[in-house]
């Protein structure tokens, strides 16, 4: 049973949300020539602010500012000097960590304990880590010449973290950037723009333009952008790959996933259940590498399912700013509709649905943690990314069957293996076609570790030494990545 906890809301007084926001171009906030859109709190549907929608002309201004800053200042600066700015940004992120975490939870819907203890600390760590590389690029194995202006487009599920994954390595390597946050979560990127001002970053090195798909398209197809870095859906990733084909732009795509989380009968089951919960209910399941397909060995399937349901019944769903909350709000009405639709399809295709009993708030966008059993590989809920708190459970008998099922997907971003045997972990990791394989853990992120996919999960790596390759002109020396 769940103990009744008194509410423990984090104060939002630390955050000063302005009624309207402009675009951050050449070190200043400007009005822009386009229209505007509203960003809302998905937990309450309250309108938070009016945000400028960048037009093609605004994007052009931002690219020009980035080009000027690149040629006149940033690419001429020594790596050690660039590093000082990155360290300064990292420290300000730490100092303003609570403000960033509260704002992220308000605009995105994710629980404060995640934005406070996961997102923001990893954001700061990313800037610290790449600051360390800025004066050591000659040892990276990828050369030390920057590409120029990077156009970067990111999704809404980890707004500030995806910004850090994009901006930190780009700047460390001497590039300047034009970044577009997602239309439902622009606020922490705009606060980051203020942090750039506070850090005295030279104008034009970082430009933040807000808007939706059209603004993203304008960035990606701008002729003076040398590098396109995109994180988002496979569908838009494919459109971007088509848009830049034939140009000499360098491209990295971090796209969707449908990860297998594989539990063997010799696994420590209570830990595995925690890993299953973390794998799919962390960040409401809005995670590209979420363990959305549980593959459980047949001999322990009933035991795992009963422990999992017992654990799911203790998850606290509700106010993202409450420090006790485990599962927050779904990011948008559109995403909620998609999760509902795929869940209904799961039922109509014959899978058995079970949702944790919980009271959902009446305003805002909510979905109870849900698990489907009796799922076959042909079911759409086993093949398509739901991007919500919905787990599909399949069973297997042998390691080979687990591999076959795990790899039977157009995606290849991540996977998890739960077993007591080290040799089995290594043999599974060798045979799983996934960019990241976690063993007896899940959803662990570290700036030193490369992240990225195979197949329809995209190409290129972010994080670690490998993440530098995307922002440097040199080619990988033969065998360097072996
Ligand atoms: P999305 O593709 O709809 O949007 C992503 C971004 O692209 C947004 O900023 C959007 O405005 C912009 N955009 C939309 N159309 C565009 C176009 N034609 N040209 C340029 N930009 C365009 O994705 P989403 O719904 O915001 O995010 C969810 C997806 O992101 C999921 O599929 C998830 O798996 C993926 N994701 C992947 C990773 C990774 O590292 N592989 C990380 C996080 C999220």
């Amino acid at each position: 049973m769940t103990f009744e906890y008194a509410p423990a809301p984090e104060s939002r007084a630390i955050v000063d949300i302005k009624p309207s926001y402009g675009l951050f171009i050449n070190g200043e906030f400007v009005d822009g020539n386009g229209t505007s859109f509203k960003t809302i709190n998905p937990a309450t549907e309250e309108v938070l602010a009016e945000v400028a929608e960048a037009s093609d002309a605004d994007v052009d201004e931002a690219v020009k500012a980035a080009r000027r800053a690149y040629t006149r200042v940033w690419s001429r600066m020594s790596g050690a000097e660039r590093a000082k700015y990155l360290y300064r940004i990292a420290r300000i992120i730490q100092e303003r960590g609570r403000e960033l975490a509260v704002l992220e939870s308000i605009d995105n819907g994710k629980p404060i304990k995640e934005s406070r203890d996961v997102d923001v600390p990893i954001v700061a760590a990313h800037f610290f880590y790449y600051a360390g590389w800025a004066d050591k690029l000659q040892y990276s194995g990828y050369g030390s010449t920057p590409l120029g202006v990077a156009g970067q487009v990111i999704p809404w599920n980890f707004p500030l973290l995806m910004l850090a994954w994009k901006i930190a390595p780009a700047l460390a390597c001497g590039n300047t950037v034009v970044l577009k946050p997602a239309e439902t979560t622009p606020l922490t990127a705009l606060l980051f723009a203020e942090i750039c001002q506070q850090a005295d970053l030279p104008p034009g090195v970082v430009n933040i333009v807000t808007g939706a798909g059209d603004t993203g398209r304008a960035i990606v197809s701008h002729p003076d952008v040398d590098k396109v870095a995109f994180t988002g859906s496979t569908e838009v990733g494919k459109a971007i790959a088509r848009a830049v084909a034939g140009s000499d732009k360098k491209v990295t795509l971090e796209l969707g996933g449908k990860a297998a989380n594989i539990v063997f009968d010799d696994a420590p089951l209570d830990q595995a259940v925690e890993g299953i919960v973390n794998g799919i209910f962390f960040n409401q399941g809005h995670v590209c590498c979420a363990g959305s397909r549980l593959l459980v060995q047949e001999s322990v399937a009933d035991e795992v399912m009963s422990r999992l349901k017992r654990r799911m019944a203790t998850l606290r769903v509700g106010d993202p700013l409450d420090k006790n909350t485990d599962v927050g709000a779904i990011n948008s009405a559109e995403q909620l509709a998609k999760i509902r639709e795929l869940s209904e399809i799961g039922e109509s295709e014959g899978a058995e649905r079970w949702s944790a009993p919980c009271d959902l708030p009446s305003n805002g966008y909510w979905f109870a943690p849900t698990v489907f059993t009796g799922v076959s590989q042909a079911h759409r809920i086993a093949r398509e990314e739901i991007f919500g708190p919905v787990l599909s459970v399949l069973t297997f008998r042998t390691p080979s069957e687990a591999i076959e099922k795990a790899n039977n997907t157009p995606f290849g971003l991540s996977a998890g293996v739960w077993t007591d045997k080290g040799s089995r972990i290594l043999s599974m990791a060798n045979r799983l076609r996934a960019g990241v394989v976690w063993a007896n853990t899940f959803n662990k992120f570290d700036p030193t570790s490369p992240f990225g996919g195979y197949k329809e999960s995209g190409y290129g790596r972010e994080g670690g030494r490998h993440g530098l390759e995307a922002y440097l002109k040199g080619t990988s020396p033969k065998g360097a990545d072996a």
Side-chain angles (χ1 to χ4, degrees):
M1 71 164 260
T2 321
F3 292 103
E4 282 311 322
Y5 284 8
E10 176 73 59
S11 164
R12 54 183 282 180
I14 194 167
V15 171
D16 172 25
I17 302 180
K18 300 178 182 62
S20 66
Y21 288 86
L23 310 167
F24 185 65
I25 297 178
N26 204 31
E28 287 175 3
F29 284 94
V30 296
D31 285 345
N33 303 306
T35 52
S36 64
F37 62 96
K38 292 178 176 39
T39 184
I40 64 163
N41 178 340
T44 59
E45 298 173 59
E46 161 206 7
V47 174
L48 295 169
E50 193 80 36
V51 181
E53 171 136 32
S55 65
D56 288 7
D58 297 323
V59 169
D60 189 47
E61 279 306 310
V63 173
K64 280 189 181 129
R67 175 62 59 192
R68 275 195 308 275
Y70 175 73
T71 19
R72 294 183 193 167
V73 187
W74 201 245
S75 65
R76 295 180 176 201
M77 201 182 271
S78 70
E81 284 302 310
R82 289 199 305 269
K84 288 183 192 169
Y85 286 102
L86 291 175
Y87 280 124
R88 202 180 290 167
I89 289 171
R91 282 195 303 269
I92 300 173
I93 288 168
Q94 287 183 320
E95 281 163 21
R96 301 181 70 172
R98 200 154 76 85
E99 189 183 350
L100 287 163
V102 171
L103 186 59
E104 194 77 303
S105 284
I106 292 174
D107 203 18
N108 170 279
K110 65 175 68 198
I112 186 70
K113 73 176 178 192
E114 290 180 8
S115 48
R116 182 195 61 198
D117 298 345
V118 183
D119 297 48
V120 172
I122 307 182
V123 168
H126 233 80
F127 280 94
F128 279 119
Y129 174 74
Y130 279 109
W133 268 113
D135 63 348
K136 302 175 196 69
L137 296 175
Q138 66 271 33
Y139 307 113
S140 70
Y142 302 118
S144 52
T145 314
L147 299 174
V149 175
Q152 308 180 317
V153 178
I154 56 172
W156 46 260
N157 57 339
F158 291 93
L160 194 62
L161 185 57
M162 292 299 105
L163 173 149
W165 284 21
K166 297 272 177 288
I167 292 185
L171 263 48
C173 293
N175 305 274
T176 56
V177 309
V178 176
L179 176 135
K180 190 192 86 62
E183 52 272 40
T184 57
T185 52
L187 295 185
T188 45
L190 293 165
L191 185 52
F192 179 81
E194 282 178 30
I195 290 174
C196 293
Q197 288 180 322
Q198 196 182 342
D200 268 336
L201 191 70
V205 172
V206 167
N207 303 275
I208 308 280
V209 291
T210 41
D214 284 344
T215 308
R217 237 188 309 265
I219 296 174
V220 165
S221 54
H222 194 289
D224 204 29
V225 162
D226 302 296
K227 150 84 191 172
V228 171
F230 172 77
T231 297
S233 62
T234 294
E235 190 191 346
V236 174
K238 285 180 180 173
I240 290 175
R242 279 193 294 271
V244 298
S247 75
D248 54 7
K249 291 187 170 106
K250 200 164 168 175
V251 186
T252 40
L253 300 174
E254 301 280 352
L255 311 177
K258 191 76 191 175
N261 202 359
I262 306 168
V263 178
F264 284 96
D265 59 4
D266 63 344
L269 292 190
D270 283 332
Q271 287 170 38
V273 165
E274 286 308 306
I276 295 164
V277 166
N278 175 35
I280 188 64
F281 303 122
F282 170 64
N283 202 33
Q284 296 72 246
H286 301 327
V287 183
C288 49
C289 50
S292 51
R293 282 185 300 152
L294 172 63
L295 301 188
V296 56
Q297 198 154 17
E298 210 174 84
S299 46
V300 287
D302 289 346
E303 182 61 26
V304 167
M305 283 319 298
S306 77
R307 291 192 201 197
L308 177 62
K309 286 180 181 172
R310 208 179 316 141
R311 177 68 179 91
M312 282 170 65
T314 67
L315 292 173
R316 290 164 198 280
V317 184
D319 181 7
L321 286 185
D322 191 315
K323 293 170 205 159
N324 296 321
T325 293
D326 297 307
V327 179
I330 300 301
N331 180 251
S332 65
E334 193 189 356
Q335 188 59 28
L336 180 59
K338 184 183 158 194
I339 297 168
R340 283 186 175 148
E341 186 195 345
L342 273 164
S343 299
E344 277 154 27
I345 289 171
E347 274 181 297
S348 67
E349 286 186 337
E352 191 179 323
R353 175 178 182 161
W354 184 86
S355 294
C358 54
D359 293 331
L360 300 177
S362 48
N363 288 334
Y365 314 127
W366 305 94
F367 198 89
T370 294
V371 59
F372 278 97
T373 45
V375 178
S376 88
Q377 294 188 82
H379 286 162
R380 280 182 63 187
I381 53 166
R383 290 185 287 123
E384 294 177 29
E385 189 181 41
I386 300 174
F387 221 58
V390 181
L391 178 67
S392 300
V393 184
L394 296 97
T395 57
F396 67 92
R397 290 184 181 175
T398 64
S400 292
E401 189 186 346
I403 291 282
E404 242 171 66
K405 287 185 168 165
N407 288 342
N408 183 12
T409 166
F411 298 108
L413 195 54
S414 65
V417 180
W418 296 83
T419 171
D420 202 28
K421 294 188 184 63
S423 56
R424 179 176 280 163
I425 291 169
L426 295 175
S427 104
M428 293 294 287
N430 275 339
R431 296 162 72 197
L432 284 164
R433 193 86 181 127
V436 182
V437 179
W438 284 293
N440 293 331
T441 187
F442 210 92
N443 275 340
K444 281 265 181 280
F445 306 101
D446 190 285
T448 64
S449 172
F451 185 90
Y454 289 105
K455 304 192 280 185
E456 291 199 5
S457 293
Y459 43 79
R461 293 292 179 266
E462 290 187 316
R465 183 185 68 85
H466 300 70
L468 297 165
E469 185 179 17
Y471 292 98
L472 291 170
K473 258 191 195 130
T475 48
S476 163
K478 241 186 169 171
D481 288 323

